[in-house]
Amino acid sequence: MLRAVRFFSMLLLVGMLTAAASPVKSRNFLTDEEQKYLNHHPVIRVQNETNWPPFNYRENGHPRGFSIDYMDALARQLGVKIQYVNGHSWGEFIRMLSTPALDAMVNVSITEERQKNMTFTRPFMRAKNAIYTNVKKQAYYTLPELNGKRVALVKDFFIQKYITRHYPGIKQILVPDLEKALEMLSFEKVDAVVGKQVVVDYILRENLISSIMATDYIKEKGTVSRLAIATDKKDSLLTRILDKAQRQLDPKTIDQLKHKWFGINVLLNTRKLLTSHETEFLKNKKRLSVCYQTDRLPVEAEGEVGPQGIAIDVIQTIIRRLDMNAVFVPTESEKESWHFLQQKQCDLLPGAIQINARNEDVLFTKPYLSYTPVIVTKKGRPKVTKLKQLKDKTYAVWDNNPILQHMKKEKKPPNILMKKNTLEALEAVQNGKAYYTILPQSIFEYYQQRDNFDDLSIAGYTPVRGDVRIAVSKSAPELLGILNKVIQVTPREAFRAISDKWIKGTVIHKTDYTAFLEVLGGALIVIGLILLSYRKRMKLTRHIEELNATLEERIETALKKNKEQEAMMLHQDRLARMGEMIAMIAHQWRQPLNNLSLTNQLLVSKYTKGKLDDKAMEYFKENSKKQITQMSETIDDFRNFYKIEKEKLDFCVSDVVHELIERTHIIFKDAGVSVTYTAEGCPMFRGYPNELKHAIQNIMSNARDALVEKEGDEKQIDIRVFEDDDAVSICIQDNAGGMPEEIQGKIFDPYFSTKDAKNGTGLGLYMANVIVTEHMNSEIILRAESDCTEFIIYLKKAST
C-alpha cells in the first residue's frame, strides 16, 4: 500500500513538472482518447474566407473576424495551433472538408442536407437573413414577392440553397461574396439581395453605403442560420473535442468578441457612458437582486442549475457588461414578483410587460423586445377581426395578466376563467373549458412546439401592443438610467438572438455528468500520456521550426513557379488567337490584292495593244503604291493590336472596344453572328488597352462558339459601355441560351473547356479573368439566365 502511495505521488509530481515545462494548456476536460487525438494532430486546418466580414475574411494577408478569434480562443483551450487555409470558394471549402486538406469549417449553417456528410458542434450563434433593396427602386418585403425578380445570392450559401428549393421562380444571380452582391444592387443590376443581416449591415456600415436599405427579415421557418463548427462525418471525434472546448469558454470572452465585431459598446471595464453619480451607485450597490417566476417559460423559470429563460439571459448579459454580480430571488407567481419589487425585496424584474393599462408603482426601462398579442383558439373556428366578436365567449387568463387589466376597462368585460399560468390557460382552451386565450405569438409558438398544442391556432390579433422591459423600484432611478444606457447601446439583434434561442430551440438541457466522470477517472492516464508524448511533441516542434526557417524561400519559389506558369498560359492563349489574327489579315488583304491583280491585267493588256504610255504607267504606279500601303498599314495595325504593353496608359474604353469590333467583325459575320455596340460618351481608364482587347475578344469568341452551336437564325452579341462614379462597365451579352449551373463555377478555371480537344484550349476565359482581376485590378461577373449569358467587366477607377 505504501509503495502504491509513493508511486502515485511520484506520478503526480512528474505530471506537474511536465505540465509546467509544456506549452500545452491543461486539457483535463478531455478523455484519454481525445487527448491522444490532439497529440497526433497538434495543428488543425480551418478555412479562412476571402470576404465574409465580420465573421471570416482576410485583411492585408491575415485572417480576421469573429469566427477567427473564436477558433483561436478554442485553440488556446486545447493547446493546439490553427492553420488557416485560404484562396478557395465556399463550395470548394465544403468539398475539401472530406479530404486531408481541411479538418474543420467554422461559421457553417446547420442543415439536414449538410448533416448527411458533416458533424456539427453546438451552435455558437444564430443569424437571421434579411432582404435588401435599392432605395431608388421598388421595395420587396417577402420571398414570394421576389418571384420573377433578379436576386443576387452568394453561391452555395445556406439561404441560396433554401431559395433554390422553395422559390425556383426567383432569378438567381450567383456571386462570390455579399460585397459583390451589394455592389450589383448599388448599380441597379439586380432587384434585391438576400443575406445574413449582421454581415450585410457590417459591409454597408464599413463602406458607407447609403443607397441600400433593409426591408424586412425573412420570417419563414427554417431560414434562421444556426452557425456552428463542422467536420467530416469520419472525424466526429474532433467535433466532440471542439464541442467540449466550447463549453470551457468564459461567457465574458464570448461577450468581448461580440462587442469587438458586432458593434456593442464595451461597458465591462470603462463604463464610459455612465455619469459619476451612476458609477458611484454601482460601486456601492455591488450586486443586484433579481426576482423571477419559477414557471414562466420561455421568459423565466427555474431550471436544473438555476434560473433560465429569455429575460434571465438578457439580464445576465447586461449585468456582465456592468461587471456586477446578481442574486436571483424565485417567486411563485407574477403577482408575488410585483409585490416583492414594491417591498424592495428585489431590485428589478427582468421580464416585465408594460401596456397602457398597467400603472404600477414602479419604473420601466426602454423595451428590449416587442410583441403583438394573438388570439388563440381551436383550429377550424372563425377568424377574429374584432374583440367584440368574443364578448359572449370564455377567456382563459392567469392572475395579474396585463392584457386582462386592459380588457377589464371595456364596457362589457369578457367571461373570465382564471388559471395559474400560461400553460394552464392553453390547456383550458384545448379541453373546451374556455373558448380562447390571448398571449404573445412567440410564446404561443414555444408552447405549441414543446407541449404539442397542434389542435390550437391563431384566430386573430389584438389592437394592444406589448413591450418587454425591465421593471425597477421607484426608489432607484439611478439604476433605471444605467439599464437604459446598456439597452440603448446593445444591438436589437443581440436581444432577438436570445429570444430565438428559446423560441426556436430546445430550452431544457440535462447536464451530462458521464463525460465528467470519464475525464475524472482517466486523469492519471492523461498525465501519463502527456509525459510520454512530451518528447515526441518536442521533436515535432523542432521539425516545424525547421520548416518555418525555409518557409520564405519555399514561398518565393512557389510564386516564381506560378508566374512562369501564368506566362506560359498567356503565351498559349496568344497562339490560339494568332489563327484568328491571320484570318482577319487575310480578309483585309483580299480587296487590295484583287485591285493589284486587276491593275496588273490592265498593264499587260495595254502593253500587248501597244498603248502603254506614260499616263498608263503613272496610273499603275500610284494605284499599286496605294494598295501596297494599305496592306502594310494592316500589318502594322494588327501588330500594335497584339503588342505586349509594359506601362499603363490612359485610354478611352469605348474607343478600344469600337476598334476591337471593327477589326474582328468579319469573323463574326462569317459565323452568322450579329454584333451590336452602344456606348455612353468616352469613359477613361488607366491600364493596358491591348490586354483589355485581348480579354474582351476571348469573351466574344466564347460567345461566338456557343452561338454557332445554337439552332435558329437570330444569333446576337450585344456590347454596352457605360460608367458611374466608381467604375467603367463593359457588358457582353449573347442569346445562346444561358449556361448550365454545374459549370458556372468552373468557367474561369485553367484548361476547363466544354469543347472537344481540337476546338478549345480551356484558356480563353481563364486569361480574361487573369487580365481583368490581376492586371487591371478589376472584376468580372457572370450572369447566366435561361435565355442568355452576360459577362460584366467592372473596370474600377483609382481612388482619389
Side-chain angles (χ1 to χ4, degrees):
M1 180 68 182
L2 181 60
R3 185 179 298 174
V5 172
R6 286 176 179 171
F7 174 76
F8 179 74
S9 301
M10 288 281 292
L11 189 58
L12 282 178
L13 178 61
V14 173
M16 291 167 59
L17 292 173
T18 303
S22 171
V24 178
K25 185 180 178 72
S26 174
R27 301 191 292 224
N28 58 4
F29 56 90
L30 300 180
T31 66
D32 55 344
E33 181 189 16
E34 293 161 351
Q35 291 274 10
K36 185 176 180 180
Y37 178 95
L38 292 182
N39 290 335
H40 286 86
H41 300 83
V43 178
I44 300 175
R45 294 175 290 271
V46 179
Q47 104 283 9
N48 172 217
E49 297 162 53
T50 302
N51 196 15
W52 203 57
F55 283 99
N56 194 334
Y57 65 104
R58 288 186 71 75
E59 185 176 74
N60 299 324
H62 298 286
R64 298 267 290 156
F66 173 85
S67 299
I68 301 300
D69 286 354
Y70 188 80
M71 285 303 302
D72 289 343
L74 294 182
R76 289 191 292 271
Q77 289 286 341
L78 296 170
V80 297
K81 298 291 184 183
I82 302 291
Q83 177 186 336
Y84 290 106
V85 180
N86 53 69
H88 302 277
S89 67
W90 180 256
E92 289 170 342
F93 278 129
I94 290 179
R95 290 188 287 273
M96 289 168 63
L97 193 59
S98 61
T99 73
L102 205 63
D103 299 314
M105 289 182 66
V106 68
N107 52 257
V108 184
S109 295
I110 302 174
T111 66
E112 289 185 8
E113 181 183 354
R114 288 173 178 168
Q115 285 176 323
K116 296 175 183 177
N117 303 307
M118 303 176 185
T119 56
F120 291 88
T121 66
R122 66 189 58 218
F124 59 79
M125 182 170 289
R126 284 171 168 77
K128 285 187 176 183
N129 288 283
I131 299 172
Y132 292 81
T133 59
N134 194 303
V135 295
K136 301 177 184 177
K137 297 291 183 178
Q138 181 177 342
Y140 302 96
Y141 297 91
T142 64
L143 289 180
E145 292 180 41
L146 292 173
N147 271 317
K149 307 301 179 184
R150 298 167 302 163
V151 179
L153 296 162
V154 179
K155 182 176 174 59
D156 292 325
F157 268 26
F158 161 74
I159 194 63
Q160 187 259 323
K161 297 289 188 181
Y162 178 89
I163 289 174
T164 299
R165 288 195 305 272
H166 298 281
Y167 293 95
I170 292 178
K171 296 180 180 178
Q172 296 187 28
I173 311 301
L174 301 182
V175 294
D177 53 55
L178 279 170
E179 193 166 298
K180 176 53 62 182
L182 295 171
E183 183 177 314
M184 294 188 73
L185 184 58
S186 293
F187 293 151
E188 301 178 18
K189 305 294 183 188
V190 294
D191 301 304
V193 166
V194 177
K196 287 186 176 58
Q197 177 263 338
V198 65
V199 178
V200 177
D201 285 359
Y202 181 91
I203 295 172
L204 295 178
R205 185 170 62 248
E206 289 295 303
N207 293 279
L208 301 177
I209 299 174
S210 58
S211 59
I212 294 174
M213 67 175 183
T215 57
D216 204 352
Y217 287 109
I218 298 175
K219 300 173 182 176
E220 297 178 17
K221 186 177 180 180
T223 58
V224 176
S225 296
R226 294 178 296 147
L227 301 180
I229 305 169
T231 67
D232 188 70
K233 277 277 190 184
K234 300 188 293 293
D235 205 5
S236 58
L237 181 58
L238 177 58
T239 307
R240 198 165 73 215
I241 293 170
L242 292 170
D243 192 86
K244 286 187 176 182
Q246 284 180 284
R247 299 183 197 179
Q248 300 299 314
L249 284 182
D250 184 354
K252 285 187 178 181
T253 300
I254 299 174
D255 269 353
Q256 288 168 341
L257 292 182
K258 290 179 179 179
H259 293 158
K260 176 181 177 181
W261 291 107
F262 304 129
I264 303 173
N265 288 342
V266 181
L267 302 179
L268 287 169
N269 298 318
T270 62
R271 302 180 181 179
K272 290 183 179 178
L273 297 181
L274 304 185
T275 65
S276 58
H277 187 58
E278 291 168 338
T279 303
E280 186 66 22
F281 173 85
L282 291 182
K283 182 179 178 181
N284 296 329
K285 190 68 179 173
K286 299 189 185 306
R287 67 179 186 178
L288 296 173
S289 57
V290 181
C291 281
Y292 69 98
Q293 285 180 243
T294 56
D295 61 348
R296 193 187 166 205
L297 277 175
V299 179
E300 55 192 29
E302 184 66 42
E304 292 184 358
V305 291
Q308 62 178 13
I310 297 172
I312 301 300
D313 283 356
V314 167
I315 198 62
Q316 285 179 332
T317 300
I318 291 173
I319 289 173
R320 279 201 303 270
R321 288 175 189 152
L322 293 171
D323 199 19
M324 294 190 69
N325 297 315
V327 57
F328 289 90
V329 180
T331 65
E332 294 299 322
S333 66
E334 186 175 9
K335 185 176 183 179
E336 187 177 41
S337 292
W338 288 105
H339 177 72
F340 276 21
L341 181 65
Q342 291 169 336
Q343 297 300 314
K344 301 180 183 179
Q345 292 178 257
C346 56
D347 297 310
L348 57 87
L349 305 183
I353 297 176
Q354 181 190 27
I355 62 174
N356 294 334
R358 186 179 289 282
N359 185 24
E360 302 288 351
D361 188 25
V362 294
L363 300 173
F364 289 94
T365 66
K366 297 177 180 179
Y368 58 83
L369 288 173
S370 297
Y371 70 90
T372 299
V374 295
I375 301 166
V376 176
T377 188
K378 281 194 172 184
K379 282 185 177 179
R381 288 176 173 172
K383 293 293 182 182
V384 178
T385 57
K386 296 181 180 179
L387 289 177
K388 65 181 181 180
Q389 293 176 238
L390 302 171
K391 61 182 180 180
D392 297 324
K393 308 296 183 184
T394 302
Y395 171 30
V397 67
W398 49 100
D399 189 31
N400 211 39
N401 184 287
I403 301 173
L404 175 63
Q405 312 303 321
H406 174 81
M407 297 187 72
K408 281 183 176 179
K409 291 188 175 182
E410 299 290 331
K411 293 181 179 178
K412 187 178 179 183
N415 299 324
I416 300 297
L417 176 63
M418 295 302 303
K419 289 295 173 181
K420 183 180 178 182
N421 52 42
T422 305
L423 179 60
E424 289 190 4
L426 288 169
E427 289 174 342
V429 176
Q430 186 180 50
N431 298 332
K433 295 179 181 179
Y435 186 86
Y436 71 98
T437 188
I438 299 176
L439 71 166
Q441 181 173 348
S442 58
I443 304 298
F444 170 61
E445 290 172 352
Y446 168 83
Y447 280 104
Q448 190 177 40
Q449 292 176 27
R450 195 194 72 167
D451 298 294
N452 299 318
F453 286 110
D454 297 329
D455 53 343
L456 302 184
S457 65
I458 297 173
Y461 297 84
T462 71
V464 182
R465 183 170 181 82
D467 294 321
V468 184
R469 307 167 186 258
I470 301 171
V472 302
S473 171
K474 271 193 174 180
S475 62
E478 301 90 349
L479 180 59
L480 179 72
I482 293 168
L483 294 174
N484 272 332
K485 288 180 179 179
V486 180
I487 291 172
Q488 184 173 355
V489 300
T490 303
R492 297 282 79 80
E493 178 64 22
F495 297 131
R496 284 192 291 265
I498 291 173
S499 176
D500 287 344
K501 181 185 80 171
W502 286 94
I503 301 301
K504 307 293 184 183
T506 305
V507 298
I508 301 178
H509 304 280
K510 292 187 177 180
T511 305
D512 183 7
Y513 293 102
T514 305
F516 173 75
L517 292 174
E518 288 177 357
V519 173
L520 183 62
L524 290 177
I525 299 174
V526 170
I527 293 174
L529 286 174
I530 292 174
L531 175 63
L532 293 174
S533 64
Y534 175 65
R535 182 174 296 177
K536 186 175 180 180
R537 187 167 58 251
M538 293 303 296
K539 183 178 179 181
L540 179 62
T541 302
R542 286 195 297 271
H543 179 61
I544 293 173
E545 289 174 351
E546 290 172 2
L547 289 176
N548 288 336
T550 60
L551 181 61
E552 186 173 345
E553 180 181 346
R554 286 184 286 118
I555 290 174
E556 185 176 348
T557 302
L559 289 174
K560 183 178 179 181
K561 185 177 180 180
N562 286 341
K563 288 182 179 179
E564 291 173 352
Q565 186 176 10
E566 182 182 312
M568 180 188 71
M569 290 179 175
L570 183 59
H571 179 65
Q572 289 176 325
D573 192 48
R574 288 184 183 278
L575 289 177
R577 299 281 80 81
M578 190 176 293
E580 294 183 352
M581 181 183 73
I582 293 172
M584 289 184 282
I585 292 175
H587 177 269
Q588 295 286 350
W589 275 15
R590 187 173 291 126
Q591 186 63 35
L593 283 173
N594 186 50
N595 289 341
L596 281 174
S597 176
L598 291 174
T599 303
N600 186 56
Q601 291 177 21
L602 180 62
L603 179 66
V604 172
S605 175
K606 285 187 176 288
Y607 176 77
T608 303
K609 295 177 181 179
K611 296 181 179 180
L612 188 59
D613 53 14
D614 291 343
K615 184 178 179 181
M617 286 299 296
E618 182 66 21
Y619 171 80
F620 174 76
K621 183 180 75 172
E622 293 298 325
N623 191 274
S624 299
K625 182 179 179 181
K626 178 181 178 182
Q627 304 305 324
I628 293 170
T629 300
Q630 182 179 342
M631 294 168 68
S632 178
E633 289 175 350
T634 299
I635 291 290
D636 291 338
D637 287 345
F638 280 99
R639 183 177 60 189
N640 292 331
F641 189 84
Y642 283 94
K643 183 173 66 176
I644 298 176
E645 295 152 322
K646 302 295 184 182
E647 296 181 359
K648 290 185 177 182
L649 303 172
D650 292 317
F651 62 92
C652 174
V653 176
S654 55
D655 287 349
V656 166
V657 178
H658 181 264
E659 181 185 353
L660 170 64
I661 294 172
E662 286 295 307
R663 296 294 181 196
T664 60
H665 77 279
I666 186 59
I667 294 178
F668 295 91
K669 183 178 179 182
D670 290 346
V673 177
S674 173
V675 179
T676 61
Y677 170 60
T678 57
E680 299 176 3
C682 184
M684 300 300 295
F685 182 75
R686 184 169 182 79
Y688 306 103
N690 284 346
E691 289 200 2
L692 179 60
K693 292 176 191 174
H694 189 166
I696 298 172
Q697 185 184 350
N698 284 3
I699 297 173
M700 292 175 65
S701 297
N702 192 73
R704 179 199 63 205
D705 294 342
L707 288 165
V708 167
E709 297 177 2
K710 175 191 173 185
E711 296 181 359
D713 298 330
E714 186 180 355
K715 299 176 181 180
Q716 184 78 29
I717 297 177
D718 296 316
I719 302 176
R720 295 178 293 118
V721 177
F722 57 91
E723 72 172 325
D724 54 30
D725 294 338
D726 301 317
V728 179
S729 299
I730 306 169
C731 301
I732 306 163
Q733 184 183 85
D734 64 68
N735 64 342
M739 183 181 296
E741 182 178 350
E742 60 268 18
I743 71 169
Q744 291 178 21
K746 304 177 183 178
I747 58 170
F748 293 126
D749 293 347
Y751 301 112
F752 175 78
S753 176
T754 58
K755 309 164 194 172
D756 55 42
K758 67 179 182 180
N759 291 327
T761 65
L763 288 174
L765 292 179
Y766 168 75
M767 287 313 306
N769 186 50
V770 169
I771 289 170
V772 173
T773 59
E774 297 184 15
H775 299 190
M776 302 282 192
N777 193 31
S778 296
E779 295 177 89
I780 291 185
I781 295 296
L782 166 66
R783 193 183 76 178
E785 298 185 3
S786 59
D787 58 344
C788 67
T789 299
E790 183 177 40
F791 288 88
I792 305 171
I793 299 177
Y794 289 106
L795 298 176
K796 295 181 179 179
K797 297 179 180 179
S799 301
T800 57

